[in-house]
Amino acid sequence: MSLYIGREASKLWKRLCAEFTTEIILLLENWKYIFGGLIFQYIHGLAAHSIHYFHRPGPVLQDVGFYLLPELGLENAYISETVFTSIFLSFVLWTFHPFIWKTKKIYTVLVWCRVLVFLCACQFLRIITFYSTQLPGPNYHCREGSKFARLPRPDNILEAFIIVPRGVLYGCGDLIFSSHMIFSLVFVRTYQKYGTRRFIKQCAWLLVVVQSLLIVASRKHYTVDVVVAWYTVNLVVFFVDKKLPELPDRSAATLLPVSKDSKGKEENHKLLNGNSGESNDWRLRSQVNGKTTDDGTNGHVEAVNGV
């Protein structure tokens, strides 16, 4: 028994090392996209923080969702955040599954490059939208009488560029359209395309619908913020996705460099692509720029560096 556990642990360690090496190579090739996407996350957060300075509390606007959905109340506001956190963390963990699971379809770095492009495009539209018109926030801390409803002017220019956790939790004014829905829809659509479990896909879409209802019931957004997010994010992802090169499907063919000897080829193929290797007549084949190579040693960068 101990021998079996030791052998499996050794295989897992080799798979982790092989996957880590591959992802590092991809990260070095695509770091500009990752870095640019992360920088824009800060810009989006800064824009959402800055709009709070212009927020003016007022009467909550008439909203059909507020009439149809019972108000959860301030004490139950955590429910929608719990659903969002479960979607967020589940997707992040899934993107790193190639490091652990034998069967794998994606490269972690390339998936995040794609996701960040979708997020940045949607967030850019969101910034334009909530700066165009400031609505009185329906959330409890944005209503008249709350100490968080108005944000005092910054004492200096540096303070305006610092995003504190309280500002994230008690922001006001960045309403149309919902940022939570942007992240959730982008994540679910990405898993819809690259995920392999049909049941999980169905559950993910159900969770997004439930989250939409909870956001309105928690009075964190107006119904229009959620509705606009549904068609805007889906349209943006649909059209942007068509402009981006398709990701290599590693479950169909390996696109990774392998060692020169045949034994090394088969071992790397098992570790990096999750094939069982039971077939005696295995040949490494990959498609690069419409051509097929039998040795699998050429065209690695061109095939994976597509974002």
Side-chain angles (χ1 to χ4, degrees), residues 41-89:
Q41 296 310 299
Y42 168 75
I43 295 175
H44 172 256
L46 186 63
H49 173 70
S50 301
I51 196 65
H52 197 166
Y53 291 112
F54 301 97
H55 177 258
R56 295 295 178 267
V60 177
L61 304 179
Q62 295 188 43
D63 189 282
V64 64
F66 292 177
Y67 287 111
L68 297 178
L69 296 174
E71 188 171 352
L72 290 180
L74 184 60
E75 65 279 2
N76 294 319
Y78 71 92
I79 298 178
S80 64
E81 292 298 326
T82 302
V83 174
F84 172 74
T85 303
S86 65
I87 295 174
F88 189 96
L89 293 180

Side-chain angles (χ1 to χ4, degrees), residues 203-276:
C203 289
W205 282 111
L206 178 61
L207 274 179
V208 177
V209 173
V210 171
Q211 178 187 279
S212 303
L213 300 176
L214 289 174
I215 288 175
V216 177
S218 300
R219 304 304 188 253
K220 295 181 179 179
H221 278 278
Y222 293 108
T223 305
V224 65
D225 307 336
V226 176
V227 172
V228 171
W230 266 98
Y231 65 74
T232 302
V233 176
N234 279 291
L235 287 173
V236 168
V237 173
F238 176 79
F239 286 107
V240 173
D241 185 65
K242 289 184 174 297
K243 297 295 183 180
L244 298 176
E246 188 52 75
L247 296 185
D249 184 359
R250 63 193 304 184
S251 65
T254 182
L255 295 171
L256 302 173
V258 295
S259 56
K260 294 182 179 180
D261 59 287
S262 58
K263 183 178 180 180
K265 288 181 181 180
E266 186 171 356
E267 182 180 358
N268 282 346
H269 185 272
K270 292 178 185 178
L271 291 174
L272 294 171
N273 298 284
N275 281 6
S276 62

Side-chain angles (χ1 to χ4, degrees), residues 82-219:
T82 302
V83 174
F84 172 74
T85 303
S86 65
I87 295 174
F88 189 96
L89 293 180
S90 298
F91 179 80
V92 171
L93 291 175
W94 170 76
T95 60
F96 286 92
H97 81 271
F99 288 87
I100 304 297
W101 293 353
K102 289 183 178 180
T103 56
K104 54 198 75 176
K105 185 179 180 181
I106 62 170
Y107 295 101
T108 302
V109 170
L110 298 185
V111 163
W112 275 108
C113 285
R114 208 173 190 87
V115 167
L116 286 172
V117 170
F118 297 149
L119 289 177
C120 292
C122 294
Q123 290 167 342
F124 176 75
L125 296 177
R126 180 174 189 260
I127 293 172
I128 295 176
T129 306
F130 66 65
Y131 262 102
S132 299
T133 302
Q134 292 85 46
L135 302 178
N139 211 335
Y140 303 102
H141 64 267
C142 297
R143 299 177 184 178
E144 192 69 56
S146 172
K147 63 179 181 179
F148 300 111
R150 294 172 181 263
L151 195 64
R153 299 294 180 181
D155 297 329
N156 52 69
I157 189 66
L158 183 61
E159 184 180 340
F161 288 90
I162 298 177
I163 303 175
V164 296
R166 192 190 72 170
V168 176
L169 297 175
Y170 296 100
C172 298
D174 57 326
L175 291 175
I176 303 177
F177 42 96
S178 170
S179 180
H180 283 57
M181 293 303 300
I182 291 177
F183 279 93
S184 297
L185 287 169
V186 167
F187 289 170
V188 172
R189 282 191 63 99
T190 301
Y191 186 80
Q192 176 70 31
K193 184 173 183 179
Y194 299 110
T196 57
R197 306 286 183 178
R198 182 180 179 183
F199 176 73
I200 296 179
K201 294 178 182 180
Q202 295 171 342
C203 289
W205 282 111
L206 178 61
L207 274 179
V208 177
V209 173
V210 171
Q211 178 187 279
S212 303
L213 300 176
L214 289 174
I215 288 175
V216 177
S218 300
R219 304 304 188 253

